[in-house]
Amino acid sequence: MKEEKTGNDSRSHHEGASALERLSGKRYEQELERLHIELVKVQEWAVHTGAKVCVVFEGRDGAGKGGTIKAITERVSPRVFRVVALPAPTEREKTQMYVQRYLPHLPAAGEITLFDRSWYNRAGVERVMGFCTKEQTLAFLKAVPLVERAIIQSGIILLKYWLEVGQEEQTRRLEDRIHDERKIWKLSPMDLRSYSRWYDYSRARDDMLEATDTDEAPWYVVRSDDKRRARLNLISHLLASIPYEPVRREKVKLPKRQKPEGYRESDRPLRYVSERF
């Protein structure tokens, strides 16, 4: 199944979204709780069956990738839902085959791997910021469908999401990072340089989708101007794309606690944390 493709004019991606009111916090939490229950079922199914799922998250700075991944992983085990956010390559990694450093992070049996940016760095930030040549980008775009075919043929369910944010909303979010002490760490010098190159990123995005949106490994585009709606829509699509079934659970009942058998609390003074709240 293919969703709507993105084009050159970012405004067209948000006409539908702009007509919607912002989702209330109460409604969002209700829907997210329902989806969290299903994600726990996916976790149990993956562990039980040995399934392997790989989810790629891409998009411009401020598109909401990190928040969406956090919403997915909030109520599940980090040993099953593994988040991969690789730093800049080392000098040794720069000499390797390009996708080589990503391959060890692909899921093993019973794992669901979430890539917060992925091998598609070569099609986006590396191309736009001049970290690779035009020839390297073209070679990557030609080769990556073959690599993804091999990933899928190995038994991995591969899902690719592009979070599409508009210019005004991206500006608002990045400015919010500047003025919020809790978020300032999210704004790197690279983000600032990337911000000025909106249309270079648009061209890179269009070329990436044109070359790598295949029937085997399609791209799914998520409008993300409304973060809450984007998270719910993406998680709903993710759940619908995984053929999971509820695993039968044993009925859980707390056992009786043992008797004290002479135990008494120690008289040793304890170093309690100051109760300031």
Side-chain angles (χ1 to χ4, degrees), residues 139-155:
F140 168 80
L141 292 176
K142 184 176 181 180
V144 74
L146 302 176
V147 174
E148 291 178 349
R149 178 181 297 172
I151 290 173
I152 293 167
Q153 289 177 345
S154 76

Side-chain angles (χ1 to χ4, degrees), residues 203-267:
R203 295 182 185 95
R205 175 204 60 197
D206 294 346
D207 290 344
M208 180 192 76
L209 294 178
E210 182 65 31
T212 65
D213 180 23
T214 65
D215 290 336
E216 286 180 298
W219 277 102
Y220 297 106
V221 180
V222 182
R223 294 186 178 95
S224 65
D225 275 4
D226 186 327
K227 288 183 178 181
R228 290 171 178 168
R229 292 185 187 277
R231 292 168 187 170
L232 297 180
N233 288 331
L234 191 153
I235 297 172
S236 297
H237 185 277
L238 175 71
L239 290 167
S241 302
I242 299 174
Y244 71 99
E245 295 180 355
V247 176
R248 186 176 178 274
R249 300 170 182 159
E250 297 294 332
K251 188 174 181 180
V252 178
K253 183 179 180 181
L254 290 175
K256 292 182 179 180
R257 284 205 173 109
Q258 64 180 160
K259 295 180 179 180
E261 297 180 354
Y263 172 79
R264 291 186 301 175
E265 293 287 344
S266 172
D267 294 330

Side-chain angles (χ1 to χ4, degrees), residues 62-99:
K65 298 179 293 299
T68 301
I69 291 172
K70 184 177 180 180
I72 292 171
T73 58
E74 204 172 2
R75 299 291 181 176
V76 292
S77 170
R79 291 183 293 274
V80 178
F81 279 78
R82 298 170 52 251
V83 178
V84 177
L86 297 185
T90 64
E91 290 303 315
R92 179 178 182 274
E93 287 172 335
K94 290 178 181 178
T95 68
Q96 294 176 337
M97 174 184 174
Y98 177 71
V99 298

Side-chain angles (χ1 to χ4, degrees), residues 36-54:
H36 279 159
I37 292 171
E38 294 303 311
L39 287 168
V40 170
K41 293 178 183 178
V42 170
Q43 173 177 281
E44 294 174 332
W45 167 80
V47 172
H48 180 73
T49 63
K52 299 176 288 185
V53 182
C54 178

